[in-house]
Amino acid sequence: YPVATSAAFRAALIDSVPGDTITLTSGLSYIGTFVLPNKAGTGVITIRSSGFGSGAPAGTRVKPADASRMAKVLADKGNPAFRFAAGAHHYRLTGLEITPTPNSYTYDFIQMGNGDTQVGSLPSFIEIDHCFIHGDPAVGGKRGISANGVNINIHDNYISDIKSKFQDSQTINAWNGPGPITITNKYLEAA
């Protein structure tokens, strides 16, 4: 699924099936909250940038300079850029720049398990790799990734400008879920 607009991206999320790859156009911006639905089956749905190819090898952390090869997903009006629906599973986000619209404070750039209390309702088998996640340089943001789930793998990312003048902030935080959560080879910057 190659997609070039926010509306086409939302439609691809609805229409995709396990095993599909949704390819966002590098250099373009996709604005809003994109909900990753719960799908039947166990194949991974991959969301990636067109200029990122098949991705980068594991163990190679991205840098801000890599943003020129990435599609930009912009969180808007304090809402997350990505929100996992209850029970969503087998997703991979790779090679994306995830940030807010200018001068916008975001609470969660990627939100998993918001208020879900049953293990079966938590997102599971989620991989976030080679992404550049950053808050607004002036106003920051509260949390890069809310990782409440089951079998979460977060690696080779660069997370920066997560800061706040009025509350604590975290690059990655989890408070509800059995895990495991694997976090490796990342640049993490939060106040």
Side-chain angles (χ1 to χ4, degrees):
Y1 285 96
V3 296
T5 66
S6 298
F9 184 17
R10 283 187 183 84
L13 287 169
I14 293 167
D15 295 341
S16 62
V17 296
D20 283 347
T21 296
I22 299 171
T23 304
L24 307 183
T25 304
S26 295
L28 293 184
S29 294
Y30 300 80
I31 301 172
T33 297
F34 298 93
V35 178
L36 285 66
N38 184 359
K39 305 269 185 170
T42 58
V44 174
I45 296 175
T46 299
I47 301 167
R48 69 173 187 87
S49 296
S50 62
F52 212 70
S54 60
T60 305
R61 183 187 315 144
V62 295
K63 306 173 290 307
D66 293 316
S68 63
R69 298 187 305 137
M70 299 176 173
K72 186 179 287 191
V73 182
L74 297 168
D76 194 29
K77 300 178 182 146
N79 297 308
F82 288 102
R83 183 169 50 83
F84 287 82
H89 57 92
H90 291 92
Y91 279 95
R92 179 181 182 215
L93 305 178
T94 185
L96 303 171
E97 180 180 5
I98 304 166
T99 192
T101 53
N103 298 309
S104 175
Y105 185 87
T106 298
Y107 291 88
D108 288 306
F109 291 92
I110 299 173
Q111 185 182 76
M112 290 182 240
N114 185 30
D116 297 313
T117 58
Q118 300 296 315
V119 171
S121 296
L122 293 170
S124 59
F125 299 97
I126 307 300
E127 182 175 8
I128 301 168
D129 68 276
H130 300 96
C131 291
F132 174 33
I133 302 165
H134 58 98
D136 180 84
V139 300
K142 178 170 178 59
R143 188 175 300 114
I145 302 171
S146 213
N148 298 306
V150 182
N151 290 306
I152 309 299
N153 186 356
I154 304 169
H155 62 91
D156 302 315
N157 300 290
Y158 192 103
I159 304 176
S160 62
D161 271 322
I162 307 298
K163 57 191 177 188
S164 178
K165 293 180 181 177
F166 61 93
Q167 63 184 163
D168 64 323
S169 59
Q170 309 89 28
T171 53
I172 302 168
N173 195 6
W175 58 92
N176 182 32
I181 300 170
T182 303
I183 302 168
T184 55
N185 194 32
K186 305 176 71 56
Y187 176 87
L188 304 173
E189 178 185 280

